[in-house]
Structure formats: C-alpha cells, structure tokens
Amino acid sequence: MFRACRITLPADHDGRLSFNAIFGLIPDYVSLNYPSNATAMIFGIGNVMLGLGAMKGNFLGGVIKDESGSFQLIYIAAAALAVLLVLIASFLKTPKSQS
C-alpha cells in the first residue's frame, strides 16, 4: 500500500500540473496570434475537442481491451498519435511579442 502511494501520488500530482497548464498556455498563445474577437471561440472549440477526445479515447481503449484482451494496441495507437501531434505542433506559428 505505502509503496504504491509513493509512486502514484507524485505521478498524479505531476500529471495534474502538466494537464492544467493547458488552460493557461493555450489562451495566451491564441491571444498572441489571432484577433481578440476570435480567441474565445478558438479556446471554446479547443475545450470541446479536448473533452470529446478524452471520452472517445477512454471508450475506444475499453473496446480494444475487450476485443483483444490487452491494452497494448491502445498504447501503440496513443504513442503514434503523440508523434503525429508533435509533428503538427512543429508547424505552429511563433507568437508575436507584445512590445
């Protein structure tokens, strides 16, 4: 019990820190690159997509586990999508400075 807590509690804390940073960094990036009248809509659409992706990923992970008996395929798919997202992120515009 205590060994598991020493591992899972710090991992949970770090995961929350990295996940919640999204809600501060994305609006900042959007506000630097897009007109102010579009920022709320962009952030709103991004939040909806985040929620839909989280639900879809959990559902598909369960379906794949039920069908194959293992989580291995969903981990491979998640790793492939992570690589794809890194490639897409490399095309983002560099923010303009607010001088």
Side-chain angles (χ1 to χ4, degrees):
M1 162 82 178
F2 294 111
R3 179 186 161 123
C5 287
R6 284 192 304 240
I7 296 170
T8 57
L9 291 177
D12 180 57
H13 180 263
D14 293 346
R16 288 173 192 258
L17 283 176
S18 62
F19 178 77
N20 288 326
I22 291 170
F23 297 105
L25 296 175
I26 290 179
D28 189 44
Y29 175 81
V30 169
S31 69
L32 291 174
N33 287 293
Y34 298 96
S36 60
N37 60 350
T39 56
M41 183 181 295
I42 292 169
F43 189 60
I45 291 170
N47 275 331
V48 170
M49 294 299 117
L50 179 68
L52 290 174
M55 288 188 299
K56 187 189 225 180
N58 288 330
F59 176 75
L60 290 176
V63 169
I64 290 172
K65 165 70 165 78
D66 288 345
E67 295 296 320
S68 69
S70 170
F71 284 112
Q72 186 173 6
L73 290 175
I74 196 67
Y75 290 139
I76 291 169
L81 287 172
V83 169
L84 177 65
L85 289 174
V86 167
L87 290 172
I88 291 171
S90 69
F91 291 102
L92 289 174
K93 295 190 302 186
T94 303
K96 298 174 260 176
S97 64
Q98 289 184 335
S99 303

